[in-house]
Amino acid sequence: MKKICCLLLLFPAIIFAQEKESEKKRESGRYDNNRFSQMYDIMATPNMFRTASGAPGSAYYQQQADYKIDIELDDKNTKIFGKETITYHNNAPEGLEYLWIQLDQNQNARSSKSPLVENQRMDQALTPSGFAKKYNEEDFDGGFNIEYVRDASGKPMRYVINETMMRIDLPKPLKPKEKISFSIKWWYNINNYRVYGGRSGYEHFDSDGNNIYVIAQFYPRMAVYNDVEGWQNMQFWGSGEFALPFGNFDVNITVPADHVLEATGELLNRDEVFTKEQLKRYKLAENTFDKPIEIVTQAEAEAASKGFSNKKKTWKFSAKNVRDFGISSSRKFIYDAMAVQLSSRKTMAISLYPPEANPLWGELSTKTVAHTLKCYSARTFDYPYPKAISISAEDQGMEYPMICWNYGRPDDKGFVSDRIRYGMQSVIIHEVGHNFFPMIVNSDERQWSWMDEGLNTFLQYLAEKDLDPNYPSQRGPAKNIVPYMKGAQNFLEPIMSNSETIHQFGANAYAKPATGLNILRETIMGHELFDFAFKTYANRWKFKHPTPEDFFRTMEDASAVDLDWFWRGWFYSTNYVDLGIKDVKQYRVTDKKPEDLEKVSIRRGRFNQEAGPFVYFVEDKNNLASADVTLLQDFINQKYSLEERAKIRQPKYFYEVTFEKPGDMLMPILVQLTYDDGTSEDFNFPVQIWRKGNDVVGRVFATEKKVTKIQLDPKEQTADIDVSNNTWPKEQLKSKFD
């Protein structure tokens, strides 16, 4: 009776304390800071254009821009001359008073403001050529020279150029479902990209006086108009790449007659630009699936490099439903190709490269292209275009529909280091992979670099591992992002940042999103759920313009996994992962009642002491095995048959482990117990264990064998920035002198 009275006396005091605490909280108020809160406060509201499921809505639309282009490459003076007719289709539900055109080459104009926004420091030393380029020579002038803008009847149209954007004012609004055609004539000086930089231009070879041209952003291009922000007319400062509408292209390219050329689209006059022998080789390549066939041989390329033809040749291409167009031309090119069989169609893998790139490129480039197409197609959709081309362009790594430029060549003695070989293959996989993101799943690179670079880097990692399980991938594994995640916060930005505001572009736009997707696939969602959801996103948005919300929502919609906590932490913040083992208490079972049981039971409210009898858990710092407890053994003997007793667990060791979360980023708790016989067991506690805003959580492990080590994240799957608190007993860090 005395015990009950004591408890009754305590209850009013406890209730009074709880009421005072509640009153105190009511006075101060609280905001919802729970990291599991849904992202209604961040993401755009679903509407008729983009649904809550992440799929395009019933009123989704996109504009179309068709091009007819004629260009001529002046090899002697390194200039391009061009004229184009654009037919613009307004599929928006509203009329347009003006059109915006991208003039990205204007970043290379002498009047460009791009160099003026860069931070400068005084150089400690410069080579004479470096000094002359910086202080003596006149800046390169590579911007567009617009000769005219005319309507379909040939009349001049009013236009205004604002740096890398040109506004064309329409005489009357372009109504919904109407189209307009107009023409632009232009020319510009081609940049030597190894001297002046740039994503395209030419590479000069002093040994024979020849150039390799990789030509892109070479024509005035329509900007995107959509339901999200109207015109995407943000200036091109250099980092944020391109946002472009889909359309159909007919392009005629006139080059010196001894040049070999490839470009976006299907070549319409192959019989006019190839020799009969080259045509035969190409037909053979169209049905060769195991190795590349040389269409233009090294001997032919070396012979062509010795002369400079004064004659011209026009290559004619047609491309359907692409967002851009790229060209590469040189008399130095070897050209090889092979067929690639996908699940529903056949396509071609092609490489163009100078003799200086052999034997590396002849052995690996086209095979790597074919491997990439197969791997990416399996995880998204079958590659829909007729070909994918890899161009050898030193110091480059850039992508366009069906064509890309990639670095990596042997040294002067023909030696290829592992760094060059793997680096070249990684760049080829990455740039060919960009055909899927963003050339087909057409995200806005000017605003969100991660939507193409991050997703593509993630698939690149999977393709590298498909190529070789021991491939030395630089981006993808969780442990590789740790140095970035633990860096100074004033040099970190959330992934959801505009391209031009990022300090560490490679880590932020490429590595961190790729690592996040890898963690989702390996640790949080599992392969089956992740792969289905990712493939759903790719197929929902191929040949369309997705936003980040469309991706986030689709990944949840198709998997039934709530990921708002992950997007909020990994993409919208610079939070980092740091989980630790705060404390471990060891227990054994006994039938002897502990002296302090009354205090413990009142504090924790574990059980009604009058209900008994009980077996008791007592803390045991010596980690002794529980002896046979008569009460427990009697119960087991009565409840279970001999056969059942042989199968049931009968733990003798008990561990109460307290986990802490010094870092702000949520993550599942991955634990490995190692036993005294050398075996180990893994446990995975879902991230929802932190769902109530806990800074610490506890789990009890009941084992039949003695635990000698407890380790968090033993396979380095969570990007934990501090592993010094990840083990019990705490491991002493060895000195480098030990």
Side-chain angles (χ1 to χ4, degrees):
M1 185 67 181
K2 183 179 179 181
K3 294 177 186 175
I4 296 175
C5 288
C6 290
L7 286 171
L8 290 173
L9 288 171
L10 278 171
F11 285 152
I14 294 170
I15 293 169
F16 177 74
Q18 290 174 341
E19 287 177 346
K20 292 297 288 183
E21 182 64 23
S22 297
E23 186 177 319
K24 184 179 178 182
K25 288 178 180 177
R26 283 196 299 273
E27 290 173 356
S28 61
R30 294 182 67 202
Y31 290 96
D32 179 10
N33 293 318
N34 194 304
R35 291 180 175 83
F36 285 96
S37 297
Q38 298 299 288
M39 293 206 302
Y40 301 128
D41 59 327
I42 296 178
M43 294 205 296
T45 304
N47 52 49
M48 66 183 71
F49 304 111
R50 296 166 193 273
T51 69
S53 71
S58 59
Y60 175 81
Y61 73 89
Q62 61 191 39
Q63 310 291 63
Q64 180 175 332
D66 298 330
Y67 299 83
K68 293 185 181 296
I69 306 175
D70 291 283
I71 70 165
E72 181 168 345
L73 171 64
D74 182 347
D75 185 30
K76 291 182 179 179
N77 298 299
T78 57
K79 296 178 185 289
I80 277 185
F81 299 88
K83 57 183 178 180
E84 67 184 322
T85 297
I86 302 175
T87 301
Y88 187 72
H89 305 253
N90 182 20
N91 297 318
E94 61 271 5
L96 302 175
E97 300 173 47
Y98 43 77
L99 307 177
W100 280 102
I101 310 288
Q102 301 185 66
L103 303 177
D104 302 291
Q105 286 296 334
N106 281 3
Q107 194 200 21
N108 297 324
R110 284 196 185 131
S111 61
S112 172
K113 292 182 181 178
S114 290
L116 304 182
V117 302
E118 297 303 324
N119 217 345
Q120 287 189 334
R121 294 288 185 271
M122 181 59 70
D123 298 299
Q124 290 185 321
L126 286 171
T127 63
S129 62
F131 183 93
K133 179 179 178 295
K134 189 167 186 176
Y135 295 108
N136 298 131
E137 297 175 7
E138 194 172 25
D139 292 337
F140 175 74
D141 192 6
F144 279 114
N145 296 275
I146 304 295
E147 295 192 8
Y148 64 67
V149 179
R150 296 175 179 169
D151 65 17
S153 65
K155 294 179 180 179
M157 300 181 74
R158 185 178 185 277
Y159 64 90
V160 175
I161 295 176
N162 176 13
E163 295 294 319
T164 60
M165 289 287 167
M166 178 169 69
R167 190 188 71 234
I168 298 179
D169 297 327
L170 302 179
K172 61 178 182 178
L174 183 65
K175 295 179 181 179
K177 304 305 178 185
E178 285 188 343
K179 62 183 178 180
I180 186 173
S181 294
F182 57 95
S183 299
I184 306 174
K185 186 177 182 181
W186 78 93
W187 67 272
Y188 69 87
N189 296 309
I190 307 172
N191 56 302
N192 181 332
Y193 70 78
R194 301 194 75 182
V195 176
Y196 300 107
R199 299 166 186 271
S200 65
Y202 69 89
E203 174 187 1
H204 184 71
F205 290 79
D206 291 332
S207 58
D208 57 17
N210 280 293
N211 298 324
I212 286 179
Y213 293 90
V214 285
I215 304 299
Q217 295 87 245
F218 64 90
Y219 61 102
R221 306 183 295 174
M222 287 301 306
V224 166
Y225 183 89
N226 64 20
D227 62 284
V228 178
E229 56 188 341
W231 286 106
Q232 171 48 290
N233 54 10
M234 187 180 294
Q235 294 289 338
F236 178 49
W237 294 102
S239 294
E241 290 181 357
F242 313 111
L244 299 157
F246 287 105
N248 302 318
F249 287 72
D250 290 308
V251 183
N252 299 324
I253 309 160
T254 300
V255 296
D258 51 0
H259 271 216
V260 171
L261 187 150
E262 259 296 2
T264 301
E266 295 191 75
L267 179 59
L268 302 180
N269 62 333
R270 192 179 305 279
D271 57 342
E272 295 177 10
V273 294
F274 277 9
T275 66
K276 289 183 179 180
E277 189 59 38
Q278 290 166 352
L279 282 171
K280 287 173 60 178
R281 297 169 191 157
Y282 190 85
K283 289 180 180 179
L284 176 61
E286 287 182 307
N287 292 291
T288 301
F289 296 88
D290 59 341
K291 62 181 180 181
I293 303 296
E294 279 194 351
I295 314 303
V296 179
T297 67
Q298 181 160 334
E300 289 169 334
E302 289 173 346
S305 299
K306 295 175 182 177
F308 295 82
S309 176
N310 290 319
K311 296 180 180 180
K312 300 177 183 180
K313 188 181 292 185
T314 298
W315 299 59
K316 299 178 181 180
F317 290 87
S318 178
K320 305 298 182 185
N321 207 17
V322 296
R323 68 170 225 166
D324 202 0
F325 201 95
I327 303 164
S328 188
S329 183
S330 179
R331 60 179 56 85
K332 289 180 68 68
F333 276 149
I334 303 165
Y335 181 131
D336 71 36
M338 64 183 285
V340 183
Q341 184 63 56
L342 305 176
S343 63
S344 64
R345 63 187 311 275
K346 184 175 76 170
T347 189
M348 295 295 290
I350 299 170
S351 295
L352 279 70
Y353 47 94
E356 288 84 349
N358 261 339
L360 179 63
W361 273 67
E363 293 174 357
L364 290 178
S365 177
T366 299
K367 287 183 178 179
T368 305
V369 173
H371 172 78
T372 305
L373 296 178
K374 291 177 182 178
C375 289
Y376 277 61
S377 294
R379 291 185 166 92
T380 55
F381 43 77
D382 272 2
Y383 181 69
Y385 293 135
K387 62 187 178 185
I389 310 154
S390 172
I391 304 291
S392 172
E394 198 66 334
D395 299 332
Q396 279 286 353
M398 197 58 203
E399 74 282 352
Y400 302 92
M402 306 185 214
I403 191 168
C404 56
W405 352 123
N406 306 301
Y407 93 100
R409 292 183 191 148
D411 66 15
D412 293 340
K413 296 180 181 179
F415 174 72
V416 178
S417 66
D418 285 346
R419 183 182 67 84
I420 291 294
R421 180 169 67 88
Y422 285 120
M424 184 201 81
Q425 285 188 283
S426 290
V427 170
I428 291 174
I429 292 170
H430 186 88
E431 305 306 342
V432 172
H434 269 309
N435 278 286
F436 294 81
F437 302 92
M439 299 301 152
I440 297 171
V441 182
N442 191 7
S443 56
D444 180 355
E445 299 178 84
R446 187 63 51 87
Q447 186 66 266
W448 309 115
S449 292
W450 72 267
M451 284 199 75
D452 69 293
E453 300 297 358
L455 271 61
N456 184 38
T457 301
F458 164 69
L459 287 175
Q460 172 194 336
Y461 170 70
L462 297 183
E464 288 171 351
K465 292 306 178 185
D466 285 345
L467 189 64
D468 178 0
N470 297 314
Y471 196 98
S473 299
Q474 299 300 306
R475 293 165 173 162
K479 64 180 180 180
N480 292 5
I481 200 65
V482 167
Y484 171 72
M485 300 285 279
K486 68 193 301 183
Q489 284 286 326
N490 57 322
F491 291 106
L492 302 180
E493 295 80 27
I495 292 172
M496 288 293 292
S497 298
N498 177 262
S499 307
E500 303 297 340
T501 65
I502 299 169
H503 281 90
Q504 302 178 64
F505 197 82
N508 180 286
Y510 293 68
K512 187 181 175 185
T515 303
L517 296 179
N518 195 37
I519 290 173
L520 282 180
R521 186 172 188 263
E522 296 295 335
T523 305
I524 296 166
M525 299 174 72
H527 290 191
E528 183 177 0
L529 290 176
F530 180 94
D531 291 350
F532 179 84
F534 192 85
K535 196 166 192 173
T536 298
Y537 166 73
N539 281 277
R540 278 179 174 179
W541 289 98
K542 63 184 177 183
F543 298 111
K544 294 182 177 68
H545 301 280
T547 66
E549 288 96 335
D550 298 322
F551 175 68
F552 298 149
R553 285 171 168 147
T554 295
M555 291 300 293
E556 295 190 26
D557 184 69
S559 67
V561 180
D562 181 5
L563 296 171
D564 281 30
W565 64 271
F566 186 82
W567 311 131
R568 187 184 289 274
W570 196 267
F571 282 78
Y572 285 88
S573 81
T574 58
N575 291 345
Y576 54 84
V577 179
D578 183 12
L579 305 185
I581 298 173
K582 185 175 185 178
D583 189 29
V584 177
K585 291 183 178 179
Q586 302 160 114
Y587 292 84
R588 59 183 173 84
V589 175
T590 178
D591 54 4
K592 183 178 180 182
K593 180 179 179 181
E595 293 180 1
D596 61 348
L597 183 64
E598 292 178 11
K599 291 187 292 184
V600 172
S601 61
I602 292 173
R603 187 174 73 248
R604 298 189 181 181
R606 286 191 171 183
F607 53 81
N608 180 354
Q609 293 191 60
E610 303 302 320
F614 299 102
V615 294
Y616 300 97
F617 296 92
V618 295
E619 190 172 354
D620 184 358
K621 295 182 179 179
N622 296 318
N623 200 12
L624 299 175
S626 299
D628 289 340
V629 178
T630 304
L631 179 65
L632 180 60
Q633 287 302 316
D634 288 346
F635 175 81
I636 290 174
N637 292 338
Q638 292 171 16
K639 180 175 178 60
Y640 301 102
S641 67
L642 284 173
E643 288 184 0
E644 289 172 332
R645 267 178 266 163
K647 297 177 182 179
I648 66 171
R649 298 176 67 245
Q650 297 197 44
K652 296 183 180 297
Y653 301 89
F654 302 87
Y655 303 85
E656 182 186 64
V657 184
T658 302
F659 301 100
E660 61 180 345
K661 183 170 58 63
D664 291 323
M665 180 66 203
L666 300 170
M667 201 59 68
I669 297 176
L670 311 181
V671 191
Q672 184 178 80
L673 304 188
T674 301
Y675 301 112
D676 56 359
D677 63 357
T679 61
S680 61
E681 189 173 4
D682 292 321
F683 300 84
N684 186 341
F685 300 103
V687 69
Q688 283 75 17
I689 196 170
W690 305 103
R691 68 195 180 282
K692 296 184 179 179
N694 318 60
D695 290 323
V696 295
V697 294
R699 293 294 304 184
V700 173
F701 298 89
T703 66
E704 297 180 8
K705 295 180 283 188
K706 185 175 182 179
V707 173
T708 58
K709 181 179 180 181
I710 303 175
Q711 184 171 0
L712 270 176
D713 193 14
K715 299 175 184 176
E716 300 179 293
Q717 295 173 262
T718 65
D720 194 323
I721 70 162
D722 180 11
V723 296
S724 66
N725 58 358
N726 281 24
T727 56
W728 174 88
K730 188 175 180 64
E731 293 182 341
Q732 297 296 321
L733 297 177
K734 290 186 177 181
S735 166
K736 64 180 180 179
F737 301 108
D738 289 348

